[in-house]
């Protein structure tokens, strides 16, 4: 692969972690063209695009709602017509903790999370994997797919948030591990599992959650979107071709000490 030739798609890249992933990848000399997916935050997507273009990289915007099967099918079709990515980062996910969605019932939130984060993300990923495998027959190179898990999903967390995000993210992690068994070595598949990351919810949450987040990490702080972005950039680096089928916790180290 020549310098500045890779094409990368980042879903959910109009703000937060996704925006940081795209911005950091734009600094990678091997990346030439980035696809930025958004649902409705067009201003955020355009800001992400400006950051990328300021670094001399090409960028394409893609709108799709992951709650819609039709939108998901259109997204992959448009991505291949415009971008033909060698790296696909499944960062998009439903937000049920802030905004109007936070007022829904437990069942409504869980159903929405399952549809967006699990069912339709799996649909998109299977379609992407099939297209990548076809492309690899004509252009062999390092190809990679990333999923977003959760560090507490395997063991669980008390409360409604744990009962929602635990099974949802555990399903994502299980699918990614199974997909890796199917499509490696043609495509490397890895999962990055954030711990307590200060996104929009973390900025406005209560003192209880602030204390809990900082005390449950050995680094005694919240993680940042940049911390997740750095891990993803490491995982998709074409020099890391022995990294596959892994779930990587980015949580500052889980604190098991009693203070």
């Amino acid at each position: 692969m020549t310098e500045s030739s890779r094409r990368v798609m980042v879903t959910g890249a109009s703000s937060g972690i996704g925006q940081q992933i795209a911005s950091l990848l734009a600094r990678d000399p091997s990346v030439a063209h980035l696809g930025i997916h958004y649902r409705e935050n067009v201003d955020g997507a355009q800001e992400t695009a400006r950051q990328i273009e300021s670094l001399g990289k090409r960028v394409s915007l893609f709108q799709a709602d992951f709650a819609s099967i039709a939108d998901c099918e259109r997204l992959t079709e448009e991505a291949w017509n415009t971008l033909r990515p060698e790296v696909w980062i499944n960062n998009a996910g439903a937000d049920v903790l802030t905004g109007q969605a936070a007022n829904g019932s437990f069942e409504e939130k869980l159903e929405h999370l399952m549809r967006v984060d699990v069912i339709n993300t799996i649909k998109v990923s299977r379609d992407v994997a099939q297209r990548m495998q076809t492309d690899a027959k004509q252009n062999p190179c390092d190809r990679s797919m990333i999923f977003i898990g959760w560090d507490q999903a395997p063991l669980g967390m008390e409360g409604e948030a744990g009962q929602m995000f635990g099974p949802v993210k555990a399903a994502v992690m299980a699918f990614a591990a199974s997909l890796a068994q199917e499509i490696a070595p043609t495509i490397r598949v890895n999962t990055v599992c954030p711990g307590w990351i200060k996104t929009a919810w973390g900025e406005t949450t209560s003192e209880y959650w602030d204390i809990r987040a900082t005390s449950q990490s050995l680094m005694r702080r919240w993680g940042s979107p940049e911390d997740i972005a750095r891990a993803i950039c490491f995982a998709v680096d074409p020099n890391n071709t022995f990294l596959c089928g892994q779930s990587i916790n980015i949580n500052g180290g889980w604190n098991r000490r009693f203070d």
Side-chain angles (χ1 to χ4, degrees):
M1 181 178 295
T2 60
E3 185 171 300
S4 296
S5 65
R6 284 203 301 167
R7 301 176 301 274
V8 180
M9 170 65 89
V10 184
T11 68
S14 61
S15 65
I17 292 172
Q19 190 172 71
Q20 288 297 324
I21 294 166
S23 180
L24 197 56
L25 279 169
R27 293 168 169 77
D28 185 332
S30 73
V31 173
H33 188 179
L34 280 127
I36 301 305
H37 157 262
Y38 67 100
R39 181 174 65 92
E40 61 180 12
N41 184 5
V42 64
D43 291 340
Q46 290 172 343
E47 173 56 31
T48 307
R50 282 191 288 272
Q51 294 176 17
I52 294 167
E53 289 171 338
S54 71
L55 296 167
K57 302 299 175 73
R58 185 181 173 191
V59 61
S60 299
L61 298 182
F62 301 89
Q63 187 282 329
D65 185 351
F66 265 67
S68 164
I69 288 283
D71 274 22
C72 290
E73 292 173 345
R74 175 174 53 80
L75 174 63
T76 51
E77 185 68 23
E78 290 179 356
W80 249 258
N81 290 338
T82 304
L83 183 65
R84 213 169 195 90
E86 293 127 340
V87 176
W88 188 282
I89 298 169
N90 285 303
N91 173 71
D95 178 9
V96 297
L97 297 179
T98 64
Q100 187 62 34
N103 298 321
S105 68
F106 174 85
E107 290 76 15
E108 289 169 337
K109 292 176 183 178
L110 179 60
E111 182 180 1
H112 188 53
L113 282 166
M114 288 297 297
R115 183 162 64 255
V116 171
D117 288 42
V118 181
I119 296 169
N120 288 352
T121 294
I122 287 176
K123 176 178 175 52
V124 167
S125 300
R126 282 169 53 84
D127 191 4
V128 168
Q130 185 176 46
R131 291 169 185 261
M132 277 187 175
Q133 287 177 305
T134 299
D135 288 352
K137 294 174 183 176
Q138 279 134 17
N139 177 28
C141 67
D142 180 63
R143 286 175 167 80
S144 189
M145 187 179 292
I146 296 292
F147 292 83
I148 302 296
W150 181 37
D151 69 329
Q152 295 191 62
L155 297 178
M157 186 184 83
E158 81 287 355
E160 285 197 351
Q163 291 167 17
M164 285 189 295
F165 289 103
V168 167
K169 288 304 185 180
V172 171
M173 294 162 71
F175 172 75
S178 297
L179 187 64
Q181 294 293 323
E182 179 77 16
I183 63 178
T186 306
I187 305 164
R188 296 188 296 113
V189 181
N190 290 289
T191 304
V192 170
C193 303
W196 294 106
I197 305 299
K198 187 166 276 192
T199 54
W201 175 78
E203 294 286 353
T204 59
T205 194
S206 67
E207 182 182 9
Y208 165 80
W209 289 109
D210 186 62
I211 293 171
R212 180 166 175 169
T214 54
S215 66
Q216 286 188 324
S217 167
L218 291 176
M219 299 309 294
R220 298 294 187 177
R221 68 170 176 87
W222 285 84
S224 70
E226 293 91 337
D227 291 320
I228 305 305
R230 291 188 193 100
I232 288 173
C233 288
F234 175 81
V236 303
D237 188 324
N239 293 312
N240 290 334
T241 55
F242 208 53
L243 182 66
C244 184
Q246 302 301 309
S247 292
I248 306 167
N249 287 343
I250 306 299
N251 58 10
W254 189 257
N255 184 11
R256 292 176 174 81
R257 300 179 300 199
F258 289 95
D259 291 335

